[in-house]
C-alpha cells in the first residue's frame, strides 16, 4: 500500500505525511475519531464557520513541526530521523485525549481527568500496539527526553500547537485579528543551551503572536456567547447524570451512558476506560440532546431546546465579582417567567469566572537571541508597551440567564 500521501489543507496547502508509521497512526480509529470532534467546541454558535475539527488541527501542527525541524537542521542542530519522526508523532497525538466538543466538557465527561492525561494514556496503549515505536515520542511529549527543545516545540509558550490553532481558528472564524506571521516565526527559531529561542529579527512577529493570542481569547475562545453555550452544555450533562442516579428513564446512546452512569472509578482498568472513551464524539452528545428535547424532565428538556435551537442565555460579564443579589434577582425572575420553584430555577442561572494569561514569564520565557548572542526575555527585549498588559493575569466574572428573565 502506498503510504506516501499528500493532504490538501485549506490553511497551508499541501501537507505531506512524512513516514509510514505516522500514516498508520493517522489511519488508526482513535485518531480518525478526531474528525468528529470540533476544535472550538460551541464557538460555531457565534462564528458559523468554526466547524473545523481536532483532526485538521493535529495535521496542521504536524506540518508546522516538519517545517521547524528543517529550519533547525539547516542551522546545524542535530535532529536524527528517529527524533524527527518522534517529535512529529508527539505533536500529532497531543490532542488525542480530547472528548466531545473539546474544552467545553473538559473534566465533565470523565471527572477529574484532563485531556492531557488521557492523551498520554492513549499514547501508551498505542505504543503497545505499535511494538514500542512511540516510546521516544511519549518521552518528548512528557518532557523527559534529554533534548528539551524538542518538548518545547510540542508544548511551551511558543509551541507549534499554538501556532496552528491561531492560524486555523482565525481562518475558520474569520477573526482576522488572530492572524500571525507563523512562517517568519518558524524561520527565526534557533536553539541555545538546549532551549528554543527566537532570533532578534523575529521580535515583531513574536509581539504580533502574543497580541493576536490575547485578542483571540477574548474575542473568540472566551466570547460571551460561547461562555453561555458551553455552560448550558455542562448543565445538561450535569442534569443527565443526576437524573440517572435518581433512577430516571434517560434516553441516551449507549456509549455516552457509560459516562453518564459513571461506570468507572480509580480502580477501573485504564484500557477499558479508553476503549469506551474512544467511542465518544460530538455526534453522541448531539443525538442525546436532540432526544432530551422531549424529556419529561422540565430542566433537561428546556436546556436541550435552548441549545439545539440556539435560544442561548444572555451573559453578563464583569471585571468585578458579580454580587449575589444580582444572581438572586435573576433566579427570582426565572421563577416568575417559567412558573417554577427556586431549586428548579437555579439550573437556569449560571455564574462563574474565566481567566487568561497570554504570556507567563514566571512559568517559562520566550527568549530572544540578540545580535550580540545574549538571551533576553521577550518582555524585557520588546519596545511594545502593551506586552505588560499581555503578561498580566486577567479574570472576568460571568452570569448566564435566560433572555426573558
Amino acid at each position: 500500500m502506498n503510504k506516501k500521501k499528500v493532504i490538501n489543507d485549506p490553511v497551508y496547502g499541501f501537507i505531506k505525511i512524512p513516514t509510514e508509521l505516522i500514516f498508520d497512526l493517522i489511519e488508526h480509529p482513535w485518531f480518525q475519531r478526531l474528525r468528529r470532534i470540533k476544535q472550538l467546541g460551541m464557538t460555531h454558535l457565534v462564528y458559523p464557520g468554526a466547524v473545523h475539527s481536532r483532526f485538521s488541527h493535529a495535521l496542521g501542527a504536524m506540518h508546522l513541526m516538519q517545517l521547524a525541524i528543517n529550519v533547525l537542521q539547516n542551522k546545524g542542530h542535530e535532529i536524527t530521523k528517529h527524533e524527527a519522526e518522534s517529535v512529529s508523532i508527539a505533536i500529532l497525538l497531543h490532542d488525542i485525549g480530547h472528548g466531545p466538543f473539546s474544552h467545553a466538557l473538559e473534566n465533565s465527561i470523565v471527572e477529574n481527568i484532563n485531556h492531557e492525561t488521557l492523551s498520554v494514556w492513549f499514547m501508551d496503549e498505542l505504543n503497545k500496539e505499535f511494538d514500542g515505536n512511540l516510546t521516544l515520542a511519549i518521552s518528548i511529549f512528557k518532557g523527559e527526553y534529554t533534548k528539551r527543545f524538542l518538548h518545547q516545540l510540542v508544548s511551551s509558550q511558543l509551541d507549534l500547537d499554538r501556532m496552528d490553532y491561531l492560524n486555523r481558528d482565525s481562518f475558520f472564524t474569520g477573526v482576522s485579528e488572530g492572524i500571525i506571521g507563523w512562517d517568519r516565526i518558524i524561520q527565526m527559531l534557533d536553539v541555545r543551551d538546549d532551549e528554543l529561542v527566537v532570533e532578534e529579527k523575529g521580535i515583531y512577529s513574536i509581539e504580533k503572536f502574543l497580541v493576536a493570542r490575547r485578542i483571540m481569547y477574548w474575542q473568540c475562545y472566551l466570547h460571551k456567547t460561547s461562555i453561555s453555550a458551553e455552560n448550558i452544555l455542562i448543565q445538561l450533562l450535569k442534569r443527565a447524570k443526576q437524573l440517572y442516579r435518581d433512577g430516571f428513564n434517560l434516553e441516551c446512546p449507549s456509549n455516552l451512558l457509560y459516562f453518564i452512569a459513571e461506570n468507572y472509578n480509580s480502580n477501573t482498568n485504564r484500557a477499558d476506560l479508553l476503549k469506551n472513551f474512544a467511542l465518544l464524539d460530538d455526534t453522541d452528545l448531539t443525538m442525546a440532546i436532540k432526544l432530551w428535547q422531549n424529556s419529561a424532565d422540565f430542566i433537561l428538556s428546556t436546556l436541550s431546546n435552548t441549545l439545539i435551537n440556539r435560544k442561548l442565555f444572555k451573559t453578563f460579564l464583569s471585571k468585578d465579582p458579580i454580587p449575589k443579589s444580582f444572581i438572586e434577582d435573576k433566579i427570582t425572575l426565572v421563577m416568575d417567567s417559567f412558573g417554577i420553584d427556586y431549586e428548579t430555577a437555579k439550573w437556569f442561572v449560571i455564574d462563574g469566572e474565566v481567566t487568561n494569561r497570554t504570556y507567563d514569564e514566571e512559568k517559562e520565557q520566550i527568549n530572544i537571541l540578540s545580535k550580540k548572542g545574549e538571551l533576553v526575555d521577550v518582555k524585557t527585549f520588546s519596545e511594545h508597551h502593551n506586552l505588560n498588559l499581555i503578561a498580566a493575569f486577567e479574570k472576568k466574572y460571568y452570569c448566564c440567564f435566560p433572555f426573558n428573565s
Side-chain angles (χ1 to χ4, degrees):
M1 180 180 179
N2 177 21
K3 298 182 180 181
K4 300 288 184 179
K5 301 294 184 181
V6 176
I7 298 170
N8 195 350
D9 180 69
V11 179
Y12 306 117
F14 293 113
I15 292 176
K16 293 182 180 180
I17 299 177
T19 70
E20 290 192 3
L21 175 57
I22 288 176
F23 175 87
D24 290 339
L25 287 168
I26 291 171
E27 288 285 284
H28 196 281
W30 290 355
F31 190 81
Q32 289 292 316
R33 179 184 72 96
L34 298 182
R35 290 182 183 272
R36 303 184 299 277
I37 295 179
K38 290 185 181 67
Q39 168 78 3
L40 292 183
M42 307 303 291
T43 305
H44 65 286
L45 295 178
V46 183
Y47 301 103
V51 292
H52 54 300
S53 67
R54 286 278 156 186
F55 181 89
S56 62
H57 163 58
L59 291 179
M62 181 197 70
H63 173 68
L64 295 186
M65 182 65 76
Q66 296 298 304
L67 299 179
I69 289 168
N70 289 335
V71 166
L72 295 178
Q73 286 176 329
N74 290 335
K75 291 182 180 180
H77 302 291
E78 183 184 4
I79 302 174
T80 67
K81 285 185 179 181
H82 185 39
E83 289 171 337
E85 180 181 59
S86 295
V87 74
S88 297
I89 291 171
I91 196 77
L92 181 74
L93 301 180
H94 77 283
D95 275 345
I96 199 169
H98 263 298
F101 296 105
S102 295
H103 290 286
L105 291 176
E106 186 89 1
N107 294 311
S108 293
I109 295 288
V110 185
E111 294 182 10
N112 302 316
I113 304 177
N114 59 33
H115 79 273
E116 289 93 351
T117 299
L118 288 167
S119 290
V120 172
W121 290 359
F122 272 118
M123 288 185 205
D124 287 337
E125 290 300 312
L126 286 169
N127 197 28
K128 297 174 187 175
E129 187 174 333
F130 285 87
D131 301 321
N133 285 314
L134 275 64
T135 300
L136 180 55
I138 295 169
S139 180
I140 291 171
F141 182 81
K142 294 166 72 173
E144 297 172 351
Y145 188 54
T146 52
K147 293 184 179 179
R148 172 175 160 77
F149 74 89
L150 292 176
H151 171 74
Q152 291 177 316
L153 288 169
V154 177
S155 179
S156 67
Q157 297 207 71
L158 192 63
D159 57 44
L160 300 175
D161 171 29
R162 297 185 186 198
M163 271 189 234
D164 180 78
Y165 74 60
L166 288 174
N167 289 331
R168 195 165 299 277
D169 297 348
S170 61
F171 180 91
F172 282 99
T173 59
V175 179
S176 59
E177 290 83 358
I179 295 172
I180 61 171
W182 60 272
D183 45 355
R184 181 164 179 79
I185 293 174
I186 289 175
Q187 289 297 323
M188 294 299 108
L189 292 178
D190 208 336
V191 176
R192 286 293 183 276
D193 301 324
D194 199 31
E195 293 282 333
L196 194 66
V197 300
V198 180
E199 295 175 6
E200 181 178 333
K201 292 180 291 184
I203 181 61
Y204 301 122
S205 298
I206 298 301
E207 290 174 347
K208 177 66 166 61
F209 167 82
L210 293 172
V211 171
R213 189 163 182 266
R214 179 179 183 271
I215 292 173
M216 283 296 285
Y217 263 87
W218 292 119
Q219 191 166 328
C220 183
Y221 308 137
L222 298 177
H223 189 286
K224 63 180 183 178
T225 306
S226 295
I227 292 172
S228 172
E230 292 186 1
N231 273 282
I232 293 170
L233 184 60
I234 291 168
Q235 288 287 82
L236 268 168
L237 197 60
K238 182 180 176 182
R239 181 59 175 175
K241 287 183 176 183
Q242 183 186 78
L243 289 172
Y244 185 86
R245 286 195 299 268
D246 292 343
F248 188 86
N249 184 23
L250 192 69
E251 285 189 279
C252 184
S254 59
N255 46 328
L256 177 60
L257 188 62
Y258 176 89
F259 294 95
I260 287 180
E262 298 179 321
N263 290 328
Y264 60 89
N265 54 49
S266 58
N267 297 319
T268 300
N269 180 274
R270 184 180 296 180
D272 184 59
L273 175 62
L274 293 178
K275 176 184 174 182
N276 284 279
F277 189 82
L279 296 173
L280 277 182
D281 55 52
D282 291 5
T283 57
D284 298 298
L285 262 295
T286 302
M287 181 183 294
I289 296 167
K290 288 174 70 177
L291 290 171
W292 295 341
Q293 288 181 100
N294 301 312
S295 172
D297 180 71
F298 174 80
I299 296 169
L300 190 65
S301 63
T302 303
L303 290 173
S304 298
N305 278 286
T306 295
L307 202 57
I308 289 292
N309 298 309
R310 202 191 176 280
K311 303 299 181 183
L312 303 176
F313 294 173
K314 183 177 181 179
T315 301
F316 174 72
L317 275 176
S318 172
K319 292 183 178 179
D320 301 313
I322 297 174
K324 287 191 176 181
S325 58
F326 179 93
I327 297 169
E328 289 297 320
D329 286 346
K330 293 302 175 187
I331 294 174
T332 300
L333 288 171
V334 170
M335 290 171 62
D336 295 341
S337 177
F338 288 112
I340 54 179
D341 59 39
Y342 180 84
E343 290 301 317
T344 303
K346 284 200 300 183
W347 282 91
F348 301 99
V349 180
I350 313 164
D351 64 288
E353 60 187 48
V354 289
T355 61
N356 178 40
R357 190 169 191 175
T358 304
Y359 178 60
D360 187 355
E361 72 271 28
E362 296 176 3
K363 182 178 179 181
E364 186 179 51
Q365 296 181 345
I366 296 177
N367 284 319
I368 304 299
L369 178 63
S370 73
K371 293 177 181 178
K372 296 179 181 179
E374 300 172 339
L375 296 182
V376 186
D377 172 54
V378 63
K379 187 179 167 187
T380 303
F381 191 92
S382 175
E383 297 175 353
H384 200 308
H385 65 279
N386 281 336
L387 284 195
N388 285 322
L389 171 63
I390 289 170
F393 179 79
E394 297 179 278
K395 179 188 289 187
K396 291 184 180 180
Y397 302 85
Y398 64 82
C399 181
C400 307
F401 49 88
F403 267 100
N404 56 349
S405 61

